[in-house]
Amino acid sequence: MNILTLGLNHLTAPIEIREKLAFSESQIPVALTRLREMTQASEAVILTTCNRVEIYIVADATVSEMIHTTKQFLAEFHQIPISHFALNLYIHHGNGAVRHLFRVAASLDSMVLGEAQILGQVKEAYELAKKTGNTGFMLNTVFQRAFNVAKEIRSKTDIGKGAVSISSVAVELARKIFGELSNRSVMIIGAGEMSEHTLRHLVDAGASSVIVSNRNYERAVKLAAAYRGQAERFDTCFNRMVDVDIVISSTGSPRFIIRKEDMLPVMRARKHKPIFLIDIAVPRDIDPQVESLDNVYLYNIDHLQQVANNNRALRQQELAKCEAIIDKEVQEFNQWYHALAVTPVIKKLNAKLDHIRLKELEKTLYQLDELSPEQKEKIGYLTQRIMNQFLNSPLEQLKKRAASGNGIIYSQVVTELFELEKETDNAEPQNTSE
C-alpha cells in the first residue's frame, strides 16, 4: 500500500496554470469518484485553494503507476494536455507525502508563512472526502495526525505570531492602541480589495461599529452590508469622522483626500479627543502635515511595512522549531505504519497463547475444588501476568524490526515458529494488557 501526493502551488506554477487545474467545491465529489476509478485508489482527498491544487491517494499500485494515472486524471478531468502542467508538479510518496501534508497543514508551505487559513481549508477538503466515502483507515489517520501536528506547532512555537500583511498589521496596530476594539468605532475610506481585507480583519478582531465611505456610494453600501456596517457618502465622511476612533484609508486617489485643513474642524468638533489615522494607500491618501495637529496620530504604509517585515523575520526564526516537530511526528508515523505489518501476527500470537493458557488453567482449577473463587481468580491473574511477561520482549523486538522495514519477514518467521496458521478453536483472545 502506497501513499502519494501530487500537486502544484504558488511556488511551482503561475496562476494561469493553477486556475486551469483547480476544482470547485461542487466538482470535488465527482472528481474523487473519477480519480479513484482511474488510479484504482482505495482512498483519496483533493485539496484546492487559490494557491495550490493537491491530490492525496492510497493505492496498492506501484508509485510510478500512481503518478501516471493521477496525471491522466488531471488532464482528462480538466481537458488540458499533461505536457501543459507536468513540469509544474511536485510529487511525494510514503514518508515524503506525510511530511508534505504536515507542512501544509502547519502553514510552512504557504505563501504567507504561519497563516491560519490553510488549516481550515485542509480540514474542509478532508471532511468533504470523508463525507462522500472516499477516505479510509490510512488517510483518516494521516490527516488527523496532520491536524494534531498543526495544533502542536501553533501552541509550541511563534510561527503564527505577529501580523505579516498590510491589512492585518493595520488592525494589529489599532488593537495595540486601543486594546479591545469591541467598543471602538472605525471608518474605512475606500471600497477596494485592500479595504475589504482590512474590514474583514477588523470584524474578526471584534470591531462592532464600522463605517464605510467611498466615492462610489453603491460600492460602499455593498461592502458595508457584507460586514454589517454602515455606509457613508464620501462628501460627508468628515461629519461622521467626528465620532470615530480610527480612520483607515485605502483609495486609488492620485492626490491627498485628507488634508490638514479638513481635519481642523473635525478636531474642534471632537474637542481634541485623540484620533488615529492609518494610511495604507499608495499614493498616500493623507497629507503628512495632518500629524502636526494636536492629538492626531498618523501611520502610513511604510510604518506598517516595517512591522510586517519584523514579524515575518520572527516567523522565519521559528522554522527550525517547526521542522523539528514535524521530523519527530513523521518518525512516529513511520513506526506506526510499519507496525501495521506485524499487528495481525501479534493478535494471532496473543490469541493462541491465551487459548492455551485458558485451557490449562481450566484443567488445573478443575482439580482444585477446595480453592475459593477469589483464590482461583488470583491464579488466573497470575497466569495472565506470566504470559504478558513472556510476550513482552518478543513483541517489542517484533515491532522494532517492523519499524526498520523488516516486519513482513519477521511476521513470517513468527507465524511458522508458533504455527499460527493452524486452527486452535473459536476461543476469543483475552485482554493481555496489565
Side-chain angles (χ1 to χ4, degrees):
M1 182 184 299
N2 286 313
I3 305 174
L4 175 78
T5 300
L6 183 148
L8 44 80
N9 63 16
H10 59 285
L11 297 174
T12 69
I15 183 63
E16 293 81 7
I17 293 179
R18 300 201 306 272
E19 64 188 5
K20 288 179 181 177
L21 294 178
F23 298 85
S24 66
E25 186 175 348
S26 61
Q27 287 179 317
I28 289 180
V30 175
L32 284 168
T33 299
R34 184 66 183 136
L35 171 63
R36 290 180 61 189
E37 288 173 352
M38 291 187 65
T39 62
Q40 296 297 300
S42 57
E43 306 176 42
V45 171
I46 293 175
L47 170 64
T48 181
T49 73
C50 58
N51 286 327
R52 70 182 64 245
V53 176
E54 294 182 346
I55 289 174
Y56 296 83
I57 59 173
V58 175
D60 287 327
T62 65
V63 172
S64 60
E65 289 172 336
M66 293 165 71
I67 294 171
H68 177 68
T69 52
T70 304
K71 287 180 181 178
Q72 281 188 317
F73 158 75
L74 283 172
E76 291 184 18
F77 192 89
H78 293 292
Q79 297 296 295
I80 176 174
I82 292 177
S83 59
H84 285 198
F85 61 83
L87 295 178
N88 302 102
L89 296 174
Y90 46 79
I91 299 167
H92 306 286
H93 62 89
N95 283 347
V98 174
R99 178 184 297 278
H100 179 75
L101 176 59
F102 287 1
R103 296 187 82 255
V104 169
S107 190
L108 304 189
D109 194 57
S110 296
M111 182 179 290
V112 179
L113 181 66
E115 57 94 2
Q117 185 181 11
I118 185 62
L119 178 58
Q121 293 170 326
V122 174
K123 286 183 176 180
E124 288 172 4
Y126 164 69
E127 290 296 339
L128 180 55
K130 183 180 180 183
K131 183 173 67 176
T132 52
N134 288 289
T135 65
F137 177 67
M138 186 59 65
L139 286 187
N140 287 341
T141 302
V142 174
F143 274 82
Q144 289 299 330
R145 285 185 176 234
F147 303 150
N148 291 336
V149 169
K151 183 178 179 181
E152 182 179 358
I153 284 176
R154 284 272 165 184
S155 64
K156 291 185 177 179
T157 75
D158 289 333
I159 195 67
K161 299 291 179 65
V164 292
S165 68
I166 295 300
S167 55
S168 58
V169 169
V171 176
E172 185 178 87
L173 177 61
R175 294 184 71 171
K176 285 183 177 179
I177 293 167
F178 289 107
E180 293 301 320
L181 300 181
S182 56
N183 61 342
R184 300 295 177 177
S185 57
V186 182
M187 176 181 285
I188 298 284
I189 302 179
E193 184 179 355
M194 183 69 82
S195 296
E196 183 171 1
H197 288 170
T198 306
L199 185 52
R200 183 174 66 248
H201 286 300
L202 281 167
V203 172
D204 290 344
S208 57
S209 176
V210 176
I211 301 165
V212 181
S213 182
N214 191 56
R215 290 187 188 277
N216 184 322
Y217 183 65
E218 287 70 25
R219 290 187 66 184
V221 170
K222 184 178 179 180
L223 180 57
Y227 294 91
R228 298 180 180 178
Q230 303 173 46
E232 181 68 29
R233 294 189 182 279
F234 187 76
D235 55 5
T236 59
C237 71
F238 289 106
N239 297 335
R240 293 296 298 273
M241 206 177 289
V242 171
D243 300 314
V244 302
D245 299 299
I246 304 166
V247 177
I248 299 177
S249 188
S250 177
T251 75
S253 174
R255 59 185 63 88
F256 296 137
I257 63 169
I258 299 177
R259 297 163 299 175
K260 184 176 180 179
E261 52 265 37
D262 298 318
M263 292 301 298
L264 281 168
V266 171
M267 295 308 293
R268 281 197 296 267
R270 292 172 62 87
K271 297 181 180 179
H272 296 282
K273 177 184 174 183
I275 187 170
F276 289 83
L277 308 179
I278 302 176
D279 187 354
I280 54 177
V282 178
R284 286 177 290 178
D285 281 341
I286 304 175
D287 185 350
Q289 291 299 315
V290 166
E291 195 173 16
S292 66
L293 297 174
D294 289 340
N295 294 315
V296 175
Y297 301 90
L298 174 63
Y299 297 86
N300 62 38
I301 197 167
D302 283 349
H303 300 133
L304 274 59
Q305 189 63 62
Q306 184 59 52
V307 174
N309 290 341
N310 291 341
N311 288 343
R312 194 174 290 112
L314 289 174
R315 290 189 179 192
Q316 287 288 342
Q317 292 174 12
E318 294 296 292
L319 265 178
K321 294 180 187 176
C322 299
E323 297 290 2
I325 291 173
I326 287 178
D327 286 343
K328 176 179 70 70
E329 294 294 336
V330 169
Q331 184 179 7
E332 289 182 4
F333 175 84
N334 186 53
Q335 292 172 348
W336 170 85
Y337 178 76
H338 284 297
L340 293 177
V342 298
T343 298
V345 171
I346 289 174
K347 289 181 177 179
K348 287 181 180 180
L349 183 59
N350 270 321
K352 180 164 187 175
L353 295 185
D354 200 49
H355 174 68
I356 294 170
R357 179 184 73 85
L358 290 174
K359 280 182 64 176
E360 296 303 317
L361 179 63
E362 184 180 2
K363 290 179 185 177
T364 302
L365 294 180
Y366 179 76
Q367 299 171 12
L368 300 173
D369 284 338
E370 69 276 9
L371 296 179
S372 67
E374 291 78 9
Q375 290 172 322
K376 292 180 179 180
E377 184 178 352
K378 287 182 179 180
I379 293 175
Y381 183 60
L382 173 64
T383 62
Q384 186 171 317
R385 282 179 58 85
I386 291 171
M387 190 185 83
N388 287 348
Q389 291 293 326
F390 171 77
L391 285 175
N392 185 55
S393 181
L395 295 188
E396 284 301 315
Q397 291 300 317
L398 189 56
K399 291 175 183 177
K400 286 182 180 179
R401 300 301 184 275
S404 64
N406 296 317
I408 294 177
I409 296 174
Y410 280 87
S411 292
Q412 292 173 342
V413 171
V414 171
T415 298
E416 292 176 10
L417 282 175
F418 290 90
E419 298 183 324
L420 298 183
E421 296 301 333
K422 287 188 177 181
E423 294 286 338
T424 50
D425 58 30
N426 293 325
E428 290 292 326
Q430 301 295 309
N431 181 11
T432 59
S433 62
E434 291 187 276

